[in-house]
Amino acid sequence: MNAGLLVRGVMRINPKNPTDAYVSLDETPSPLAQRKNPELQSYVVGNSSDIYICGKDSRNRAINSDVVAVKLLTRKAGRQLYKANRMGYDKRMDKITAQRRARLDRMADNVKNVNAEAASDDAPEPQTSNDSGARMPDLFGVVVAIITPNADRVFVGTLSNRLPAHRDSRASDNIPLGMLQFKPLDPAVPLMLVPKDSVPEIPHHKDVCAVRMESWPETSKYPMATYLKCLGQRGSVEIETELILEENGVSTEPFPPTVLRCLPKTPWKIPATELKSRTDLRTACIFTIDPPTARDLDDAVSCQQLPNGNVLIGVHIADVSFFVRPRTALDRMAQQRATTTYMVQRAYPMLPAVLCEDLCSLNPGVDRLAFSVMWEIEPESATVCSTWFGRTIISSACKLSYDDAQHVIDGGHLADSLACFEHTGVRVAPASQQRRTDIEASVLWFFCLSKIMRKRRFDDGALSLHSVRLSFDLDDNGQPIGCRTYDIKDSNRLIEEFMLLANMSVAARIEACFPDAALLRRHSPPLECRLDEVCRQLSHSGINIDTQSAGAISRSIQDITDPAIRYTVEEMLISPMQRAAYFSTHAVADRNDYRHYALNAPLYTHFTSPIRRYADVVVHRTLEASLAIYGNHVAADHPLLPPYFSPYFPQTAAAGSLTTSVNDARAVLIPKPEAIAGIAHQCNLRKDAAKKAQEASSTLFLVNYLTAAALRMDTPGVITQAIITKVKENGISFVTPMFGIDGIIYMDRMADRKGQVVSTDGRKWKLNMWSVKPASVTLVWKAVPQPSATPDASDPEHQLANMLSALVIDDTKHSVVELGCNDTAETITQTLRIFDKISVCIIPETSPPSVTVKLAMPYINN
């Protein structure tokens, strides 16, 4: 690598076609590497083509998320390998396509007559391709070495006595005797071999087990694995939850004694040295706003009107770095976990409970250590005049829920039952009426300022795309009894604006002080090919999206007046967007590539949630080092940092209580740049895994909720409304606003073998014909006459029609839809386009947790 012959990046294997793999460079190629490989001269981290790794042999035993060293291939050699590698996949896809065409041929009886009929009714559509097809990669390579293996090497799957059927051609690859085959649930993970004598009892072939990947000899096609445990057969909430946790590397083990020994003894009180050296803000009106069930309160806010007409705004964050000291067992465990994982029924914390729920949590009425950012803000324009950073002591007055804050915004007052406190300077006492009034006034100030700040942020080019987030009500046994979409209120946005401001302010500060060793967060622009495809689809419906910038996309969305269409467009635009990622500033050469695309911010980091994110702990240490070395007198002419001085800021030293000497601040508190890159990689891995686990948990509980609803009604599934997001030759894509389910209803699966679909009115609807155009699909249905005029009350379809009012859920939140039923034959010709609403039947499957979505007739139109 020092010679420029190799580059480093992160491995990503395509789960839909495991022979395809890609490497994303996590650092700008060195000048020497660019000279050796001219195709890398224009490479932009996060915004350039990944390196295509041609086939499993070229991966050299690397798995997902390994940091690898890659040698680039010439384009000629790469194309040859690519064609050979794609040959098998293309043959499989051709076979699937042939099977689908055969099913379509069996489903359609009178295509010609109805096609002619439909052609006379519909205006011609522009002829545009819906599929971009497989695109030849720009860069090709082979893995030479694994630099940093993915630490999460526990996988779940099934064990079998049946060994892999295909042996490697190499004579040395003889599978030893006494082995079991482990088949992972994740298709991107290779088959493994498990010694039979290490398994106490051979599990049932349907049981799911957990193993840890161990050695993978160079001469072997399969890695060796160690058996860990049997989870049992899939289906129950408990086993599925354990499977999700194991599959995503979420630690559920108690913290070991070596970690617990790093914790302070309880009961704990703030040391006298901290009381003396920190800025004391305990008498200030500071409070938290969080969900009602939150226990890890890591951010608080304050607001004070100033004599000059401005306001002094403070964001106060739990000083977790005081307790989690560098190079300790506690620090290593926090880095390993990197984030708290939130499942539907419980959270799996990054830190021991004594920290995240007690000593670090900014609970009301107790003294807590904090890291504070304060701004003097001109209220008319919400412009920041000056900024102050410091280590502080605070005492939160109360814990407001979002509903409490919203009630104040709507003109109400704090409930008398809400516990409020006030620090007199000597002790904590119940809050006076004046303190309660101050809290209400602060909430209104925050609301007014946040509206101005939010408008300016989006006027300046920010972009926000919202997807459906579900909340569940659980019974005493942990089973879902209610499901609803999570509503964003003004009180949520109130807090969001000031947390964003704090993160941006700290990012500018640490980058100005340590330009080669700051842990920041960037967001790359969307994938161009996917974005172009979405825009082509939207253009067929008369919606034009300006993709020149995030702000241009945002303005295009705001021009859409129909809320349902705007929601659908946002859902469609999420797909091309890339995920934000942590990075070390030393790894990205061009400062312009630090940008956060969605926020349209030149610099951004995570500072406000150190209880649940290790990245924030690292940022706190960097900020502390900057205060130790520079105080508040850093880069006064920095374009992203306002003047540091205000007479209304605390008069104590900005450095506050430093945990190290000025001379040692950087060496003790800031890792080496290469180590920061490793921390960024680990935080990215764990954040993505936690998000995946959270989404899987939500799907699990949704499936169980829908299963219970279907059982109560004795029906196959739940009928709801869906909105079409794409029309393709092989099917229609959709999204359901009530449940956030998206997917494809394939043309060859549109109806059953008899051509029938789920009925919403007791009649049997048969699909007679379809006709696909670039932006529309025409379906012709026929209602088959019933043999008897009197419906059979025991017939499931008749029961479904009778129970329809309890099953049909639409975008008006569980409103009843009345459908007229008759017993005469009827033919319906329906042309569907993007944004059309259709009826679908969601059929839950508990093992594994998933849903099958079927088209239902007739359509529910509102």
Side-chain angles (χ1 to χ4, degrees):
M1 294 190 69
N2 292 337
L5 299 175
L6 305 176
V7 291
R8 64 171 269 162
V10 181
M11 173 67 69
R12 175 173 56 86
I13 299 172
N14 181 2
K16 295 182 179 179
N17 178 22
T19 60
D20 279 348
Y22 302 86
V23 170
S24 303
L25 301 191
D26 60 356
E27 62 181 9
T28 303
S30 66
L32 186 57
Q34 293 182 38
R35 285 199 299 270
K36 298 281 187 178
N37 304 278
E39 56 268 49
L40 294 177
Q41 291 178 358
S42 59
Y43 193 95
V44 177
V45 175
N47 196 30
S48 291
S49 299
D50 293 336
I51 300 172
Y52 179 74
I53 306 300
C54 313
K56 293 183 178 180
D57 288 343
S58 297
R59 292 210 295 264
N60 195 12
R61 297 162 291 150
I63 65 173
N64 259 332
S65 301
D66 283 350
V67 178
V68 296
V70 176
K71 178 182 178 181
L72 265 63
L73 299 177
T74 64
R75 187 163 183 81
K76 180 179 179 180
R79 290 171 68 93
Q80 290 175 346
L81 276 175
Y82 175 79
K83 291 177 180 178
N85 184 48
R86 295 286 303 188
M87 191 176 298
Y89 176 74
D90 291 340
K91 286 181 178 179
R92 292 196 302 273
M93 295 308 297
D94 289 343
K95 184 177 180 180
I96 293 172
T97 301
Q99 292 171 347
R100 286 177 172 169
R101 285 174 178 167
R103 285 194 293 265
L104 291 174
D105 291 341
R106 289 196 297 269
M107 287 167 56
D109 297 327
N110 52 348
V111 175
K112 291 184 179 179
N113 292 337
V114 185
N115 248 333
E117 201 175 307
S120 63
D121 294 335
D122 298 325
E125 296 285 352
Q127 296 297 314
T128 350
S129 174
N130 285 313
D131 291 304
S132 57
R135 186 176 66 88
M136 183 71 71
D138 296 323
L139 301 172
F140 302 87
V142 294
V143 175
V144 174
I146 299 173
I147 299 173
T148 306
N150 180 2
D152 298 330
R153 296 180 100 76
V154 174
F155 303 99
V156 293
T158 55
L159 278 174
S160 170
N161 281 306
R162 184 180 179 182
L163 293 177
H166 300 288
R167 301 292 181 91
D168 194 287
S169 59
R170 289 167 291 190
S172 59
D173 190 32
N174 294 320
I175 298 178
L177 296 175
M179 291 291 171
L180 298 175
Q181 172 187 286
F182 176 77
K183 184 178 181 181
L185 297 182
D186 185 352
V189 178
L191 298 175
M192 301 182 209
L193 300 177
V194 178
K196 186 181 295 186
D197 57 9
S198 70
V199 182
E201 182 178 351
I202 305 299
H204 188 272
H205 70 277
K206 291 186 178 180
D207 287 348
V208 178
C209 305
V211 305
R212 178 184 292 108
M213 181 187 290
E214 302 290 357
S215 63
W216 192 344
E218 185 178 357
T219 57
S220 175
K221 187 176 181 180
Y222 308 106
M224 301 296 294
T226 300
Y227 175 83
L228 297 179
K229 59 183 174 180
C230 177
L231 305 181
Q233 291 194 19
R234 304 191 65 175
S236 69
V237 170
E238 294 76 16
I239 289 179
E240 291 294 339
T241 297
E242 190 174 2
L243 186 153
I244 292 169
L245 295 171
E246 292 286 356
E247 195 170 31
N248 292 284
V250 179
S251 177
T252 61
E253 298 295 324
F255 288 93
T258 53
V259 171
L260 299 179
R261 283 195 291 270
C262 297
L263 302 175
K265 294 181 180 180
T266 54
W268 177 85
K269 64 178 183 179
I270 297 176
T273 53
E274 302 300 311
L275 291 171
K276 181 179 179 181
S277 58
R278 286 180 180 248
T279 301
D280 192 344
L281 299 178
R282 287 177 291 178
T283 58
C285 182
I286 298 174
F287 54 93
T288 62
I289 304 179
D290 287 284
T293 57
R295 291 187 292 181
D296 49 353
L297 312 180
D298 46 17
D299 59 87
V301 291
S302 63
C303 177
Q304 176 188 347
Q305 288 185 262
L306 300 176
N308 64 356
N310 292 343
V311 288
L312 185 64
I313 298 294
V315 166
H316 314 276
I317 308 301
D319 189 357
V320 176
S321 61
F322 177 85
F323 298 97
V324 183
R325 303 310 304 160
R327 304 178 184 88
T328 61
L330 177 59
D331 179 51
R332 287 189 291 271
M333 178 59 70
Q335 181 178 341
Q336 179 182 326
R337 297 192 177 195
T339 183
T340 294
T341 302
Y342 295 93
M343 308 288 276
V344 169
Q345 70 274 51
R346 64 160 294 182
Y348 294 87
M350 180 183 77
L351 298 172
V354 69
L355 292 183
C356 60
E357 296 179 13
D358 185 11
L359 301 185
C360 292
S361 184
L362 305 182
N363 300 322
V366 293
D367 296 352
R368 288 290 179 259
L369 303 179
F371 227 134
S372 299
V373 183
M374 302 175 74
W375 306 274
E376 181 181 343
I377 294 181
E378 192 281 312
E380 293 296 325
S381 61
T383 301
V384 174
C385 303
S386 52
T387 308
W388 182 90
F389 303 91
R391 290 161 67 88
T392 58
I393 301 175
I394 68 169
S395 180
S396 175
C398 65
K399 174 189 174 184
L400 298 183
S401 69
Y402 287 122
D403 288 339
D404 293 331
Q406 190 63 46
H407 184 62
V408 173
I409 291 171
D410 294 338
H413 296 281
L414 298 180
D416 294 336
S417 58
L418 181 67
C420 292
F421 303 91
E422 185 173 358
H423 201 290
T424 64
V426 178
R427 61 183 180 86
V428 176
S432 63
Q433 185 57 47
Q434 182 59 48
R435 175 51 56 93
R436 299 175 76 94
T437 301
D438 291 343
I439 294 172
E440 293 174 356
S442 296
V443 169
L444 295 177
W445 266 112
F446 281 123
F447 174 59
C448 293
L449 292 171
S450 67
K451 285 198 301 182
I452 299 172
M453 293 163 65
R454 182 177 178 83
K455 181 179 184 304
R456 180 172 62 231
R457 190 160 59 84
F458 283 96
D459 288 346
D460 289 345
L463 170 66
S464 179
L465 300 175
H466 298 287
S467 58
V468 173
R469 177 182 167 191
L470 298 178
S471 295
F472 296 91
D473 299 318
L474 307 180
D475 62 16
D476 294 338
N477 297 319
Q479 299 299 316
I481 56 176
C483 174
R484 62 189 181 279
T485 56
Y486 185 83
D487 294 327
I488 302 295
K489 301 177 181 179
D490 289 332
S491 53
N492 298 80
R493 296 191 176 99
L494 174 157
I495 288 298
E496 178 187 22
E497 290 305 314
F498 292 97
M499 297 303 115
L500 290 174
L501 179 59
N503 288 334
M504 293 177 190
S505 298
V506 171
R509 166 81 189 203
I510 63 176
E511 195 271 341
C513 294
F514 308 109
D516 63 334
L519 180 64
L520 301 182
R521 188 163 176 81
R522 59 178 171 80
H523 183 213
S524 299
L527 299 172
E528 189 174 346
C529 57
R530 292 188 188 178
L531 185 60
D532 290 344
E533 169 65 15
V534 170
C535 292
R536 279 197 299 269
Q537 286 281 330
L538 291 173
S539 66
H540 293 315
S541 299
I543 293 180
N544 297 312
I545 302 294
D546 184 351
T547 60
Q548 294 300 311
S549 65
I553 293 177
S554 181
R555 287 187 290 273
S556 298
I557 294 173
Q558 294 306 312
D559 289 340
I560 302 171
T561 57
D562 187 315
I565 294 179
R566 187 188 304 128
Y567 158 79
T568 307
V569 170
E570 288 191 25
E571 285 285 342
M572 295 172 68
L573 287 170
I574 288 175
S575 174
M577 297 296 163
Q578 301 196 66
R579 287 187 177 179
Y582 299 107
F583 72 101
S584 172
T585 50
H586 99 285
V588 180
D590 191 342
R591 199 166 176 273
N592 291 323
D593 296 332
Y594 295 0
R595 294 192 66 86
H596 194 291
Y597 176 82
L599 295 174
N600 193 31
L603 297 173
Y604 190 71
T605 193
H606 274 165
F607 162 78
T608 55
S609 297
I611 292 178
R612 61 184 178 90
R613 290 189 306 230
Y614 184 73
D616 301 53
V617 177
V618 175
V619 169
H620 276 223
R621 292 171 182 164
T622 310
L623 182 57
E624 180 186 350
S626 79
L627 292 174
I629 297 171
Y630 299 103
N632 260 332
H633 299 263
V634 57
D637 58 345
H638 193 284
L640 299 177
L641 289 174
Y644 64 86
F645 176 77
S646 170
Y648 304 105
F649 285 150
Q651 297 304 302
T652 52
S657 170
L658 297 177
T659 56
T660 183
S661 67
V662 173
N663 294 333
D664 295 337
R666 173 156 186 159
V668 172
L669 296 174
I670 301 179
K672 293 181 179 179
E674 296 77 10
I676 296 177
I679 292 171
H681 176 63
Q682 175 67 5
C683 290
N684 288 329
L685 288 185
R686 296 309 315 146
K687 188 172 182 65
D688 289 346
K691 179 179 175 62
K692 185 179 176 182
Q694 184 176 354
E695 291 172 347
S697 178
S698 182
T699 298
L700 168 64
F701 278 80
L702 175 60
V703 165
N704 278 265
Y705 170 76
L706 295 175
T707 300
L711 285 174
R712 287 195 301 270
M713 300 302 173
D714 193 23
T715 56
V718 173
I719 296 176
T720 186
Q721 190 180 81
I723 302 175
I724 296 175
T725 59
K726 182 186 289 187
V727 176
K728 300 179 67 176
E729 290 185 2
N730 63 341
I732 54 176
S733 300
F734 66 90
V735 62
T736 58
M738 275 305 302
F739 299 118
I741 297 172
D742 58 8
I744 301 175
I745 301 176
Y746 289 100
M747 293 301 302
D748 60 317
R749 302 292 186 187
M750 195 77 70
D752 63 16
R753 292 181 180 274
K754 296 180 180 179
Q756 296 178 2
V757 293
V758 176
S759 172
T760 61
D761 64 358
R763 290 175 288 180
K764 293 183 178 179
W765 288 91
K766 184 175 181 180
L767 175 63
N768 273 23
M769 179 270 160
W770 64 95
S771 174
V772 181
K773 295 183 179 180
S776 68
V777 57
T778 299
L779 304 175
V780 180
W781 304 91
K782 186 174 183 180
V784 181
Q786 299 300 308
S788 171
T790 304
D792 182 2
S794 64
D795 180 43
E797 290 185 344
H798 176 68
Q799 295 175 1
L800 177 61
N802 290 337
M803 298 172 182
L804 189 61
S805 63
L807 284 174
V808 175
I809 306 173
D810 66 11
D811 62 352
T812 59
K813 307 290 180 68
H814 296 266
S815 65
V816 176
V817 179
E818 299 292 342
L819 297 176
C821 299
N822 57 65
D823 296 319
T824 61
E826 183 180 352
T827 298
I828 294 179
T829 300
Q830 183 87 26
T831 299
L832 301 177
R833 297 180 176 85
I834 297 177
F835 307 130
D836 282 351
K837 298 175 182 178
I838 58 175
S839 301
V840 295
C841 183
I842 303 176
I843 304 172
E845 301 286 346
T846 56
S847 182
S850 59
V851 294
T852 300
V853 180
K854 298 287 188 181
L855 199 62
M857 277 293 295
Y859 300 129
I860 304 168
N861 294 313
N862 297 318

